[in-house]
Protein backbone atom coordinates (compact mmCIF):
# COMPACT_ATOMS: atom_id res chain seq x y z
CA UNK A 1 0.00 0.00 0.00
CA UNK A 2 3.08 2.26 0.11
CA UNK A 3 2.61 3.04 -3.58
CA UNK A 4 -0.97 4.24 -2.95
CA UNK A 5 0.16 6.41 -0.05
CA UNK A 6 2.85 8.03 -2.22
CA UNK A 7 0.31 8.78 -4.97
CA UNK A 8 -2.26 10.24 -2.57
CA UNK A 9 0.34 12.54 -0.99
CA UNK A 10 1.85 13.66 -4.28
CA UNK A 11 1.26 17.38 -4.73
CA UNK A 12 0.78 17.13 -8.51
CA UNK A 13 -1.82 14.38 -8.00
CA UNK A 14 -3.71 16.47 -5.44
CA UNK A 15 -3.72 19.40 -7.89
CA UNK A 16 -5.06 17.09 -10.60
CA UNK A 17 -7.74 15.77 -8.24
CA UNK A 18 -8.71 19.33 -7.32
CA UNK A 19 -9.09 20.33 -10.97
CA UNK A 20 -11.15 17.21 -11.79
CA UNK A 21 -13.42 17.77 -8.78
CA UNK A 22 -13.81 21.45 -9.60
CA UNK A 23 -14.87 20.66 -13.16
CA UNK A 24 -17.22 17.94 -11.88
CA UNK A 25 -18.71 20.38 -9.38
CA UNK A 26 -19.37 22.96 -12.09
CA UNK A 27 -20.92 20.30 -14.36
CA UNK A 28 -23.06 19.10 -11.45
CA UNK A 29 -24.46 22.55 -10.72
CA UNK A 30 -25.22 23.03 -14.42
CA UNK A 31 -27.01 19.62 -14.44
CA UNK A 32 -29.19 20.78 -11.53
CA UNK A 33 -29.95 24.18 -13.06
CA UNK A 34 -33.41 23.28 -14.49
CA UNK A 35 -34.53 21.99 -11.08
CA UNK A 36 -32.98 24.94 -9.22
CA UNK A 37 -35.04 27.38 -11.31
CA UNK A 38 -38.16 25.92 -9.67
CA UNK A 39 -36.70 25.48 -6.18
CA UNK A 40 -37.82 27.76 -3.31
CA UNK A 41 -34.95 29.89 -2.01
CA UNK A 42 -34.88 28.28 1.44
CA UNK A 43 -34.20 24.84 -0.09
CA UNK A 44 -31.69 25.97 -2.72
CA UNK A 45 -28.54 24.93 -0.85
CA UNK A 46 -29.86 21.40 -0.19
CA UNK A 47 -30.93 20.44 -3.73
CA UNK A 48 -27.67 19.98 -5.72
CA UNK A 49 -26.40 17.10 -3.55
CA UNK A 50 -23.53 15.62 -5.55
CA UNK A 51 -21.87 18.87 -6.70
CA UNK A 52 -22.04 20.22 -3.15
CA UNK A 53 -20.36 17.01 -1.92
CA UNK A 54 -17.54 17.41 -4.43
CA UNK A 55 -17.30 21.12 -3.51
CA UNK A 56 -16.71 20.10 0.12
CA UNK A 57 -13.89 17.86 -1.09
CA UNK A 58 -12.40 20.72 -3.13
CA UNK A 59 -12.02 22.65 0.13
CA UNK A 60 -10.35 19.60 1.72
CA UNK A 61 -7.85 19.42 -1.15
CA UNK A 62 -7.18 23.18 -1.02
CA UNK A 63 -6.40 22.79 2.69
CA UNK A 64 -4.05 19.89 1.94
CA UNK A 65 -2.22 22.00 -0.65
CA UNK A 66 -1.70 24.57 2.09
CA UNK A 67 -0.54 21.77 4.43
CA UNK A 68 -3.57 22.34 6.65
CA UNK A 69 -6.74 20.57 7.76
CA UNK A 70 -10.29 21.91 7.65
CA UNK A 71 -12.07 19.18 9.66
CA UNK A 72 -15.64 20.37 9.11
CA UNK A 73 -15.18 20.15 5.35
CA UNK A 74 -13.42 16.80 5.80
CA UNK A 75 -16.36 15.24 7.61
CA UNK A 76 -18.92 16.74 5.23
CA UNK A 77 -16.86 15.44 2.31
CA UNK A 78 -16.39 11.88 3.56
CA UNK A 79 -20.08 11.45 4.44
CA UNK A 80 -21.64 13.12 1.41
CA UNK A 81 -19.16 11.87 -1.21
CA UNK A 82 -19.81 8.28 -0.19
CA UNK A 83 -23.55 8.74 0.24
CA UNK A 84 -24.28 10.53 -3.02
CA UNK A 85 -21.67 8.56 -4.94
CA UNK A 86 -23.38 5.29 -4.03
CA UNK A 87 -26.85 6.85 -4.36
CA UNK A 88 -26.25 7.99 -7.95
CA UNK A 89 -24.91 4.59 -8.99
CA UNK A 90 -27.97 2.86 -7.51
CA UNK A 91 -30.41 5.37 -9.05
CA UNK A 92 -28.90 4.96 -12.50
CA UNK A 93 -29.09 1.18 -12.20
CA UNK A 94 -32.71 1.54 -11.07
CA UNK A 95 -33.41 3.81 -14.05
CA UNK A 96 -31.97 1.11 -16.33
CA UNK A 97 -34.21 -1.52 -14.70
CA UNK A 98 -37.37 0.62 -14.86
CA UNK A 99 -36.99 2.09 -18.36
CA UNK A 100 -34.94 -0.68 -19.96
CA UNK A 101 -32.36 1.80 -21.22
CA UNK A 102 -29.81 4.28 -19.97
CA UNK A 103 -28.22 7.08 -22.01
CA UNK A 104 -24.44 7.25 -22.18
CA UNK A 105 -24.50 10.07 -19.60
CA UNK A 106 -25.96 7.59 -17.12
CA UNK A 107 -23.00 5.25 -17.50
CA UNK A 108 -20.63 8.19 -17.25
CA UNK A 109 -22.36 9.29 -14.05
CA UNK A 110 -22.05 5.79 -12.57
CA UNK A 111 -18.29 5.74 -13.18
CA UNK A 112 -17.72 9.28 -11.92
CA UNK A 113 -19.93 8.86 -8.86
CA UNK A 114 -18.36 5.49 -8.03
CA UNK A 115 -14.98 7.25 -8.01
CA UNK A 116 -16.51 10.05 -5.97
CA UNK A 117 -17.63 7.59 -3.28
CA UNK A 118 -14.09 6.22 -2.96
CA UNK A 119 -11.98 9.37 -2.95
CA UNK A 120 -13.26 10.73 0.36
CA UNK A 121 -12.48 7.40 2.04
CA UNK A 122 -9.00 7.15 0.50
CA UNK A 123 -7.93 10.43 2.09
CA UNK A 124 -9.55 9.74 5.48
CA UNK A 125 -6.23 8.84 7.15
CA UNK A 126 -5.18 12.48 6.77
CA UNK A 127 -8.34 13.97 8.30
CA UNK A 128 -8.43 15.53 11.77
CA UNK A 129 -12.11 15.02 12.52
CA UNK A 130 -13.39 15.19 16.10
CA UNK A 131 -16.70 13.91 17.40
CA UNK A 132 -18.38 17.32 17.26
CA UNK A 133 -17.41 17.60 13.59
CA UNK A 134 -18.97 14.19 13.02
CA UNK A 135 -22.16 15.27 14.83
CA UNK A 136 -22.37 18.40 12.65
CA UNK A 137 -21.85 16.33 9.49
CA UNK A 138 -24.54 13.86 10.57
CA UNK A 139 -26.96 16.72 11.29
CA UNK A 140 -26.36 18.25 7.83
CA UNK A 141 -26.82 14.88 6.11
CA UNK A 142 -30.04 13.86 7.87
CA UNK A 143 -31.47 17.37 7.56
CA UNK A 144 -30.81 17.14 3.82
CA UNK A 145 -32.83 13.91 3.70
CA UNK A 146 -35.75 15.69 5.36
CA UNK A 147 -35.59 18.49 2.79
CA UNK A 148 -35.45 15.95 -0.05
CA UNK A 149 -38.16 13.51 1.05
CA UNK A 150 -40.44 15.47 3.41
CA UNK A 151 -40.41 18.74 1.45
CA UNK A 152 -40.02 16.78 -1.81
CA UNK A 153 -36.91 18.51 -3.14
CA UNK A 154 -35.26 15.22 -4.20
CA UNK A 155 -33.17 15.04 -7.41
CA UNK A 156 -35.34 14.50 -10.49
CA UNK A 157 -34.54 11.18 -12.19
CA UNK A 158 -36.90 10.25 -15.06
CA UNK A 159 -39.63 7.85 -13.83
CA UNK A 160 -38.11 7.24 -10.39
CA UNK A 161 -40.63 9.57 -8.70
CA UNK A 162 -43.01 6.58 -8.89
CA UNK A 163 -40.83 4.87 -6.27
CA UNK A 164 -40.09 7.94 -4.17
CA UNK A 165 -41.15 6.42 -0.82
CA UNK A 166 -38.85 3.44 -1.33
CA UNK A 167 -36.04 5.72 -2.49
CA UNK A 168 -36.50 7.94 0.56
CA UNK A 169 -36.31 4.92 2.85
CA UNK A 170 -33.18 3.64 1.09
CA UNK A 171 -31.58 7.11 1.22
CA UNK A 172 -32.18 7.45 4.98
CA UNK A 173 -30.41 4.17 5.72
CA UNK A 174 -27.65 5.02 3.25
CA UNK A 175 -27.14 8.22 5.25
CA UNK A 176 -26.89 6.25 8.51
CA UNK A 177 -24.39 3.85 6.93
CA UNK A 178 -22.35 6.75 5.50
CA UNK A 179 -22.21 8.44 8.92
CA UNK A 180 -21.15 5.16 10.56
CA UNK A 181 -18.49 4.66 7.89
CA UNK A 182 -17.20 8.20 8.47
CA UNK A 183 -17.02 7.49 12.22
CA UNK A 184 -15.00 4.33 11.63
CA UNK A 185 -12.57 5.87 9.13
CA UNK A 186 -11.99 9.08 11.11
CA UNK A 187 -12.03 7.74 14.67
CA UNK A 188 -10.95 4.09 14.57
CA UNK A 189 -8.14 3.99 12.00
CA UNK A 190 -4.56 5.35 12.23
CA UNK A 191 -3.90 9.02 11.46
CA UNK A 192 -1.11 10.16 9.14
CA UNK A 193 0.41 13.50 8.23
CA UNK A 194 1.21 14.71 4.76
CA UNK A 195 4.92 14.59 3.96
CA UNK A 196 6.62 17.58 5.70
CA UNK A 197 8.48 18.20 2.41
CA UNK A 198 5.15 18.25 0.55
Amino acid sequence: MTWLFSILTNKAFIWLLLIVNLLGTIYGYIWYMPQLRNTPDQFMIFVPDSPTASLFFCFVLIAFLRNRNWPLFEVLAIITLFKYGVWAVVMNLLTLMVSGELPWEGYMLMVSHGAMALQGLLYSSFYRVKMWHLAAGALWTLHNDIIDYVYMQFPVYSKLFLYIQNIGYFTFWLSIFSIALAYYFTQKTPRYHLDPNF
Side-chain angles (χ1 to χ4, degrees), residues 17-18 21 25 29 48-64 69-87 112-130 133-141 144 174-175 177-183 185-186:
L17 207 55
L18 176 59
N21 275 274
T25 299
Y29 283 121
D49 298 322
S50 293
T52 301
S54 58
L55 181 63
F56 291 148
F57 193 57
C58 286
F59 286 118
V60 172
L61 295 173
I62 290 168
F64 285 171
N69 286 89
W70 291 337
L72 198 52
F73 285 116
E74 290 169 357
V75 76
L76 287 168
I78 192 173
I79 293 172
T80 59
L81 283 173
F82 182 83
K83 173 188 173 181
Y84 295 116
V86 171
W87 188 92
S112 62
H113 282 73
M116 192 173 98
L118 286 176
Q119 64 181 353
L121 299 178
L122 287 173
Y123 276 95
S124 62
S125 295
F126 305 105
Y127 298 163
R128 295 293 177 266
V129 171
K130 296 180 180 177
H133 298 123
L134 199 63
L139 184 63
W140 169 279
T141 304
N144 203 340
L174 180 58
S175 292
F177 181 73
S178 301
I179 293 163
L181 207 62
Y183 169 77
F185 275 94
T186 63

Side-chain angles (χ1 to χ4, degrees), residues 35-52:
Q35 184 172 349
L36 289 173
R37 289 194 192 101
N38 300 312
T39 299
D41 291 343
Q42 68 269 28
F43 300 137
M44 196 76 71
I45 193 173
F46 299 105
V47 170
D49 298 322
S50 293
T52 301

Side-chain angles (χ1 to χ4, degrees), residues 75-110:
V75 76
L76 287 168
I78 192 173
I79 293 172
T80 59
L81 283 173
F82 182 83
K83 173 188 173 181
Y84 295 116
V86 171
W87 188 92
V89 171
V90 172
M91 290 308 113
N92 277 284
L93 287 173
L94 187 56
T95 299
L96 180 60
M97 289 171 57
V98 169
S99 65
E101 59 181 7
L102 191 65
W104 71 267
E105 294 94 341
Y107 293 101
M108 181 270 290
L109 285 172
M110 283 199 287

Side-chain angles (χ1 to χ4, degrees), residues 121-194:
L121 299 178
L122 287 173
Y123 276 95
S124 62
S125 295
F126 305 105
Y127 298 163
R128 295 293 177 266
V129 171
K130 296 180 180 177
M131 285 302 295
W132 78 265
H133 298 123
L134 199 63
L139 184 63
W140 169 279
T141 304
L142 295 174
H143 178 70
N144 203 340
D145 287 346
I146 291 170
I147 299 301
D148 282 355
Y149 300 103
V150 174
Y151 291 95
M152 307 309 282
Q153 300 299 317
F154 54 87
V156 177
Y157 258 83
S158 64
K159 298 178 181 178
L160 294 190
F161 69 91
L162 298 172
Y163 307 92
I164 198 60
Q165 289 182 322
N166 296 323
I167 291 171
Y169 182 79
F170 163 75
T171 304
F172 169 77
W173 285 109
L174 180 58
S175 292
I176 297 298
F177 181 73
S178 301
I179 293 163
L181 207 62
Y183 169 77
Y184 174 77
F185 275 94
T186 63
Q187 307 298 312
K188 298 297 182 181
T189 58
R191 304 290 91 205
Y192 298 101
H193 291 280
L194 290 172

Side-chain angles (χ1 to χ4, degrees), residues 8-34:
L8 293 177
T9 57
N10 182 278
K11 192 170 187 176
F13 181 76
I14 294 176
W15 268 110
L16 177 63
L17 207 55
L18 176 59
I19 292 166
V20 168
N21 275 274
L22 226 91
L23 292 173
T25 299
I26 293 166
Y27 173 82
Y29 283 121
I30 292 170
W31 187 90
Y32 271 98
M33 205 58 72

